[in-house]
Amino acid sequence: VKEMASLSLVSSACDMVSAVHVSTQESHPCLRSVCDTAEKGVQSETEASCVQPTLEPPVTAGSEHAAEGLDKVGEKLPLLPKPVEQVLSGTKELLPSRVAEVEEAVSS
């Protein structure tokens, strides 16, 4: 999870969602109280269901396997290390040329 969260694309997307979350809570006091209650419930549930020490070896093995898989995905998807803004701007730049290619193919 830490490796996944450290990817620029994931962390910048989380930052954007967090900013929208904070802005929404500031704009709508009723939603703030609902979100606060939900967050406290999730936090207490997370604290109550901590991983037991007897599960440590399988969890460690699973974590290592997930890290290897994430490395392989990162090799195949060069977008992962980029922030959301960079991915979106690249897509906006690429889109007109792709649309032109499709229009040309359809017209011919």
Side-chain angles (χ1 to χ4, degrees):
V1 172
K2 288 179 185 177
E3 274 192 56
M4 181 72 121
S6 71
L7 294 170
S8 293
L9 181 64
V10 175
S11 66
S12 65
C14 288
D15 291 344
M16 291 174 72
V17 170
S18 179
V20 169
H21 175 73
V22 169
S23 173
T24 301
Q25 283 189 345
E26 290 172 356
S27 302
H28 305 285
C30 292
L31 281 177
R32 181 182 324 137
S33 64
V34 171
C35 289
D36 287 345
T37 303
E39 289 168 6
K40 287 177 186 172
V42 168
Q43 183 178 11
S44 65
E45 182 63 31
T46 303
E47 290 170 357
S49 62
C50 290
V51 176
Q52 299 297 320
T54 57
L55 295 178
E56 194 170 317
V59 169
T60 302
S63 179
E64 290 172 2
H65 185 67
E68 291 171 6
L70 189 56
D71 289 342
K72 288 179 184 176
V73 169
E75 291 170 7
K76 295 182 188 266
L77 294 174
L79 297 176
L80 285 179
K82 297 178 182 177
V84 170
E85 296 84 7
Q86 190 176 0
V87 171
L88 290 177
S89 72
T91 302
K92 288 177 185 176
E93 292 172 8
L94 184 64
L95 194 58
S97 65
R98 295 293 184 202
V99 169
E101 289 173 11
V102 170
E103 287 175 345
E104 185 179 321
V106 169
S107 66
S108 62

